[in-house]
Amino acid sequence: LPSAVNTRRPSKRATPLLSVVSVPSAPRLPLIQEPNFKKVSNRAVLMDIENVRRFVEEKGIDSFEALETFAVQQEASKKEAEEICNRDGREIRRLKELSEAYAAYAPYIPIRNEYLQKKGIAQAVYHSQHKKELETAKELRIPVYELLREGEKFTPKKWEAQIKELTQEYEKQSRRYGRSTVNLAYVELLRHNRKIDEREQKNKDQSQSRQHEKMDRGQKQKKKHQEMEL
């Protein structure tokens, strides 16, 4: 897959941002092992030159300093979204498990309550008549009270409403997390391309320097030969 990297070289030593979102060069995807970049499934779309350019323009990023500021903001947004998803995800699971546990336990509540209201012989007789149901009630009651929070009442309709509300927020934050991940993947791509660009520039400078040194040595040798001939 082609990477959005510029093959042109800027006149200054510093690498301008737009110089690494211009002309695609050799495939460099295998070299990018950054965490957010690897999470993007369709990396070909991410690395498309027009998409990279659109990302930079839409986010108003005109320098690598602005890119790093943007990255800090996106890291914070991603972290917050992840924390909310984890928190709401745990609560959704608890409420669903509580709703299911209560639904199983609810039919036995009247039997258990009637048993508790009776005293003495009447209670013993009732127990003998409903022994199986009372044992089942005792068994099913345990997970319900393990999931209930202190002071929380049996409110299945409220639980259902909370699950719906929390699910909507969870999905919203999941989308936010996904957007931040893609944004940070673009950041990682541009950082990677900048390193490649600067390394290639360094190699070019070193090659030119060696060439100049070779030319200087040749000129000195030529001058020395000319002096010896005089």
Side-chain angles (χ1 to χ4, degrees):
L1 299 175
S3 173
V5 182
N6 185 19
T7 56
R8 296 174 298 174
R9 294 288 170 256
S11 57
K12 296 182 180 180
R13 294 290 298 174
T15 305
L17 177 69
L18 290 179
S19 73
V20 295
V21 290
S22 186
V23 182
S25 65
R28 287 167 179 166
L29 180 57
L31 300 179
I32 306 177
Q33 297 298 325
E34 298 299 329
N36 294 288
F37 188 86
K38 291 193 294 184
K39 288 181 180 179
V40 177
S41 57
N42 195 342
R43 298 174 199 171
V45 172
L46 182 75
M47 299 177 73
D48 180 79
I49 180 62
E50 292 304 322
N51 289 334
V52 179
R53 186 184 298 278
R54 189 180 303 113
F55 164 78
V56 170
E57 293 174 349
E58 289 181 354
K59 305 303 179 184
I61 301 172
D62 57 4
S63 67
F64 279 103
E65 290 74 15
L67 182 70
E68 294 307 319
T69 298
F70 176 78
V72 171
Q73 295 170 346
Q74 290 302 303
E75 287 286 3
S77 177
K78 179 185 173 184
K79 182 179 179 181
E80 183 180 47
E82 183 177 22
E83 290 173 351
I84 294 173
C85 283
N86 289 337
R87 181 197 67 199
D88 290 355
R90 287 192 298 269
E91 183 63 4
I92 290 169
R93 287 192 296 273
R94 184 189 77 88
L95 290 171
K96 284 184 175 181
E97 290 175 8
L98 178 57
S99 297
E100 292 174 2
Y102 176 75
Y105 173 58
Y108 298 91
I109 293 176
I111 297 173
R112 183 176 182 277
N113 288 342
E114 187 172 350
Y115 166 75
L116 294 174
Q117 290 172 2
K118 296 181 181 298
K119 304 296 180 183
I121 296 176
Q123 189 181 65
V125 171
Y126 189 86
H127 184 276
S128 65
Q129 293 174 338
H130 301 278
K131 182 179 179 179
K132 185 176 180 180
E133 292 92 334
L134 289 169
E135 288 177 352
T136 302
K138 182 179 180 180
E139 181 182 341
L140 294 176
R141 185 174 183 271
I142 294 173
V144 174
Y145 278 85
E146 285 179 346
L147 291 164
L148 276 175
R149 291 191 176 136
E150 187 176 354
E152 191 173 14
K153 305 298 182 181
F154 294 155
T155 53
K157 289 185 178 180
K158 182 180 177 181
W159 299 336
E160 185 178 352
Q162 287 177 315
I163 290 170
K164 183 178 180 180
E165 181 181 348
L166 287 168
T167 299
Q168 290 175 345
E169 181 62 19
Y170 180 91
E171 292 173 351
K172 176 183 175 182
Q173 294 301 325
S174 293
R175 291 191 294 271
R176 178 186 174 191
Y177 180 90
R179 287 194 300 270
S180 293
T181 298
V182 171
N183 287 338
L184 288 167
Y186 275 117
V187 171
E188 291 167 351
L189 173 63
L190 289 167
R191 285 173 179 165
H192 171 80
N193 290 348
R194 184 189 190 187
K195 290 178 182 177
I196 294 294
D197 191 88
E198 290 178 343
R199 184 162 66 242
E200 290 178 354
Q201 179 64 52
K202 182 179 179 180
N203 292 338
K204 181 179 179 181
D205 291 344
Q206 290 176 343
S207 177
Q208 290 177 344
S209 178
R210 288 192 295 268
Q211 188 174 6
H212 288 315
E213 290 174 0
K214 184 177 180 181
M215 291 174 63
D216 289 341
R217 286 196 301 269
Q219 290 176 354
K220 287 179 181 179
Q221 290 176 355
K222 182 178 180 182
K223 184 177 180 181
K224 185 177 180 180
H225 287 312
Q226 289 174 345
E227 290 175 350
M228 290 177 64
E229 291 174 355
L230 293 176

